[in-house]
PDB file of all heavy atoms in Angstrom:
ATOM      1  N   THR A  16      -1.230 -17.506  12.325  1.00 97.00           N
ATOM      2  CA  THR A  16      -1.403 -18.902  11.839  1.00 97.00           C
ATOM      3  C   THR A  16      -1.751 -19.849  12.997  1.00 97.00           C
ATOM      4  O   THR A  16      -2.592 -20.701  12.817  1.00 97.00           O
ATOM      5  CB  THR A  16      -0.043 -19.485  11.292  1.00 97.00           C
ATOM      6  OG1 THR A  16       0.373 -18.630   9.996  1.00 97.00           O
ATOM      7  CG2 THR A  16      -0.158 -20.920  10.698  1.00 97.00           C
ATOM      8  N   GLU A  17      -1.150 -19.577  14.092  1.00 98.00           N
ATOM      9  CA  GLU A  17      -1.573 -20.310  15.303  1.00 98.00           C
ATOM     10  C   GLU A  17      -2.974 -20.101  15.871  1.00 98.00           C
ATOM     11  O   GLU A  17      -3.779 -20.918  16.042  1.00 98.00           O
ATOM     12  CB  GLU A  17      -0.646 -19.933  16.496  1.00 98.00           C
ATOM     13  CG  GLU A  17      -0.871 -20.824  17.657  1.00 98.00           C
ATOM     14  CD  GLU A  17       0.021 -20.584  18.751  1.00 98.00           C
ATOM     15  OE1 GLU A  17       1.046 -19.780  18.700  1.00 98.00           O
ATOM     16  OE2 GLU A  17      -0.053 -21.023  19.956  1.00 98.00           O
ATOM     17  N   ALA A  18      -3.412 -18.745  15.629  1.00 98.00           N
ATOM     18  CA  ALA A  18      -4.752 -18.501  15.945  1.00 98.00           C
ATOM     19  C   ALA A  18      -5.742 -19.014  14.985  1.00 98.00           C
ATOM     20  O   ALA A  18      -6.830 -19.681  15.419  1.00 98.00           O
ATOM     21  CB  ALA A  18      -4.970 -16.888  15.919  1.00 98.00           C
ATOM     22  N   LEU A  19      -5.423 -19.118  13.706  1.00 98.00           N
ATOM     23  CA  LEU A  19      -6.183 -19.658  12.746  1.00 98.00           C
ATOM     24  C   LEU A  19      -6.379 -21.163  13.036  1.00 98.00           C
ATOM     25  O   LEU A  19      -7.545 -21.735  12.948  1.00 98.00           O
ATOM     26  CB  LEU A  19      -5.677 -19.512  11.307  1.00 98.00           C
ATOM     27  CG  LEU A  19      -6.251 -20.219  10.157  1.00 98.00           C
ATOM     28  CD1 LEU A  19      -7.626 -19.681   9.975  1.00 98.00           C
ATOM     29  CD2 LEU A  19      -5.384 -20.057   8.833  1.00 98.00           C
ATOM     30  N   SER A  20      -5.417 -21.776  13.418  1.00 98.00           N
ATOM     31  CA  SER A  20      -5.431 -23.291  13.809  1.00 98.00           C
ATOM     32  C   SER A  20      -6.340 -23.601  14.876  1.00 98.00           C
ATOM     33  O   SER A  20      -7.226 -24.498  14.922  1.00 98.00           O
ATOM     34  CB  SER A  20      -4.066 -23.791  14.065  1.00 98.00           C
ATOM     35  OG  SER A  20      -4.095 -25.174  14.438  1.00 98.00           O
ATOM     36  N   ILE A  21      -6.329 -22.648  15.941  1.00 98.00           N
ATOM     37  CA  ILE A  21      -7.201 -22.845  17.049  1.00 98.00           C
ATOM     38  C   ILE A  21      -8.701 -22.576  16.760  1.00 98.00           C
ATOM     39  O   ILE A  21      -9.506 -23.409  17.054  1.00 98.00           O
ATOM     40  CB  ILE A  21      -6.766 -21.844  18.263  1.00 98.00           C
ATOM     41  CG1 ILE A  21      -5.322 -22.315  18.624  1.00 98.00           C
ATOM     42  CG2 ILE A  21      -7.684 -22.010  19.333  1.00 98.00           C
ATOM     43  CD1 ILE A  21      -4.671 -21.405  19.669  1.00 98.00           C
ATOM     44  N   TYR A  22      -8.874 -21.501  15.966  1.00 98.00           N
ATOM     45  CA  TYR A  22     -10.235 -21.224  15.497  1.00 98.00           C
ATOM     46  C   TYR A  22     -10.751 -22.466  14.725  1.00 98.00           C
ATOM     47  O   TYR A  22     -12.010 -22.738  14.923  1.00 98.00           O
ATOM     48  CB  TYR A  22     -10.245 -19.956  14.529  1.00 98.00           C
ATOM     49  CG  TYR A  22     -10.097 -18.678  15.262  1.00 98.00           C
ATOM     50  CD1 TYR A  22      -9.293 -17.734  15.004  1.00 98.00           C
ATOM     51  CD2 TYR A  22     -11.103 -18.439  16.478  1.00 98.00           C
ATOM     52  CE1 TYR A  22      -9.182 -16.561  15.618  1.00 98.00           C
ATOM     53  CE2 TYR A  22     -10.928 -17.204  17.108  1.00 98.00           C
ATOM     54  CZ  TYR A  22     -10.118 -16.288  16.702  1.00 98.00           C
ATOM     55  OH  TYR A  22      -9.893 -15.063  17.366  1.00 98.00           O
ATOM     56  N   ARG A  23     -10.028 -23.107  13.879  1.00 98.00           N
ATOM     57  CA  ARG A  23     -10.580 -24.192  13.117  1.00 98.00           C
ATOM     58  C   ARG A  23     -10.836 -25.399  14.037  1.00 98.00           C
ATOM     59  O   ARG A  23     -11.765 -26.103  13.842  1.00 98.00           O
ATOM     60  CB  ARG A  23      -9.417 -24.591  11.987  1.00 98.00           C
ATOM     61  CG  ARG A  23      -9.603 -23.476  10.893  1.00 98.00           C
ATOM     62  CD  ARG A  23      -8.501 -23.840   9.797  1.00 98.00           C
ATOM     63  NE  ARG A  23      -8.767 -23.041   8.588  1.00 98.00           N
ATOM     64  CZ  ARG A  23      -7.865 -22.796   7.631  1.00 98.00           C
ATOM     65  NH1 ARG A  23      -6.649 -23.297   7.765  1.00 98.00           N
ATOM     66  NH2 ARG A  23      -8.094 -22.176   6.459  1.00 98.00           N
ATOM     67  N   GLU A  24      -9.913 -25.615  14.927  1.00 98.00           N
ATOM     68  CA  GLU A  24     -10.208 -26.693  15.911  1.00 98.00           C
ATOM     69  C   GLU A  24     -11.504 -26.499  16.643  1.00 98.00           C
ATOM     70  O   GLU A  24     -12.256 -27.332  16.907  1.00 98.00           O
ATOM     71  CB  GLU A  24      -9.099 -26.773  17.049  1.00 98.00           C
ATOM     72  CG  GLU A  24      -7.807 -27.204  16.404  1.00 98.00           C
ATOM     73  CD  GLU A  24      -6.637 -27.422  17.427  1.00 98.00           C
ATOM     74  OE1 GLU A  24      -7.049 -27.194  18.645  1.00 98.00           O
ATOM     75  OE2 GLU A  24      -5.600 -27.574  17.154  1.00 98.00           O
ATOM     76  N   LEU A  25     -11.784 -25.221  17.065  1.00 98.00           N
ATOM     77  CA  LEU A  25     -13.074 -24.784  17.711  1.00 98.00           C
ATOM     78  C   LEU A  25     -14.264 -24.642  16.688  1.00 98.00           C
ATOM     79  O   LEU A  25     -15.231 -24.430  17.308  1.00 98.00           O
ATOM     80  CB  LEU A  25     -12.829 -23.519  18.449  1.00 98.00           C
ATOM     81  CG  LEU A  25     -11.720 -23.465  19.500  1.00 98.00           C
ATOM     82  CD1 LEU A  25     -11.489 -22.063  20.045  1.00 98.00           C
ATOM     83  CD2 LEU A  25     -12.265 -24.290  20.706  1.00 98.00           C
ATOM     84  N   ARG A  26     -13.942 -24.759  15.509  1.00 97.00           N
ATOM     85  CA  ARG A  26     -15.091 -24.562  14.444  1.00 97.00           C
ATOM     86  C   ARG A  26     -15.742 -23.172  14.576  1.00 97.00           C
ATOM     87  O   ARG A  26     -16.944 -23.068  14.406  1.00 97.00           O
ATOM     88  CB  ARG A  26     -16.040 -25.672  14.469  1.00 97.00           C
ATOM     89  CG  ARG A  26     -15.442 -27.106  14.266  1.00 97.00           C
ATOM     90  CD  ARG A  26     -16.510 -28.051  14.266  1.00 97.00           C
ATOM     91  NE  ARG A  26     -15.919 -29.448  13.859  1.00 97.00           N
ATOM     92  CZ  ARG A  26     -16.539 -30.609  13.680  1.00 97.00           C
ATOM     93  NH1 ARG A  26     -17.814 -30.672  13.836  1.00 97.00           N
ATOM     94  NH2 ARG A  26     -15.850 -31.679  13.436  1.00 97.00           N
ATOM     95  N   ASP A  27     -14.855 -22.215  14.891  1.00 98.00           N
ATOM     96  CA  ASP A  27     -15.331 -20.756  15.034  1.00 98.00           C
ATOM     97  C   ASP A  27     -15.102 -20.225  13.617  1.00 98.00           C
ATOM     98  O   ASP A  27     -14.011 -19.698  13.324  1.00 98.00           O
ATOM     99  CB  ASP A  27     -14.447 -20.073  16.017  1.00 98.00           C
ATOM    100  CG  ASP A  27     -14.911 -18.656  16.264  1.00 98.00           C
ATOM    101  OD1 ASP A  27     -15.445 -18.037  15.376  1.00 98.00           O
ATOM    102  OD2 ASP A  27     -14.591 -18.171  17.432  1.00 98.00           O
ATOM    103  N   ARG A  28     -16.147 -20.182  12.828  1.00 97.00           N
ATOM    104  CA  ARG A  28     -15.953 -19.567  11.380  1.00 97.00           C
ATOM    105  C   ARG A  28     -15.536 -18.209  11.364  1.00 97.00           C
ATOM    106  O   ARG A  28     -14.915 -17.770  10.578  1.00 97.00           O
ATOM    107  CB  ARG A  28     -17.232 -19.989  10.776  1.00 97.00           C
ATOM    108  CG  ARG A  28     -17.467 -21.453  10.490  1.00 97.00           C
ATOM    109  CD  ARG A  28     -16.610 -22.023   9.528  1.00 97.00           C
ATOM    110  NE  ARG A  28     -17.055 -21.679   8.104  1.00 97.00           N
ATOM    111  CZ  ARG A  28     -16.387 -21.968   7.114  1.00 97.00           C
ATOM    112  NH1 ARG A  28     -15.097 -22.444   7.203  1.00 97.00           N
ATOM    113  NH2 ARG A  28     -16.821 -21.745   5.873  1.00 97.00           N
ATOM    114  N   GLY A  30     -14.034 -16.274  13.660  1.00 97.00           N
ATOM    115  CA  GLY A  30     -12.570 -16.117  13.998  1.00 97.00           C
ATOM    116  C   GLY A  30     -11.716 -16.673  12.935  1.00 97.00           C
ATOM    117  O   GLY A  30     -10.612 -16.033  12.634  1.00 97.00           O
ATOM    118  N   GLU A  31     -11.965 -17.760  12.378  1.00 98.00           N
ATOM    119  CA  GLU A  31     -11.234 -18.249  11.070  1.00 98.00           C
ATOM    120  C   GLU A  31     -11.272 -17.242  10.122  1.00 98.00           C
ATOM    121  O   GLU A  31     -10.049 -16.938   9.446  1.00 98.00           O
ATOM    122  CB  GLU A  31     -11.872 -19.624  10.528  1.00 98.00           C
ATOM    123  CG  GLU A  31     -11.194 -20.170   9.448  1.00 98.00           C
ATOM    124  CD  GLU A  31     -11.859 -21.395   8.848  1.00 98.00           C
ATOM    125  OE1 GLU A  31     -12.839 -21.813   9.439  1.00 98.00           O
ATOM    126  OE2 GLU A  31     -11.385 -21.843   7.815  1.00 98.00           O
TER     127      GLU A  31
END
Side-chain angles (χ1 to χ4, degrees):
T16 299
E17 185 176 356
L19 176 62
S20 177
I21 296 169
Y22 282 130
R23 283 175 169 165
E24 287 176 14
L25 296 171
R26 298 186 180 182
D27 182 336
R28 296 286 281 166
E31 179 183 357

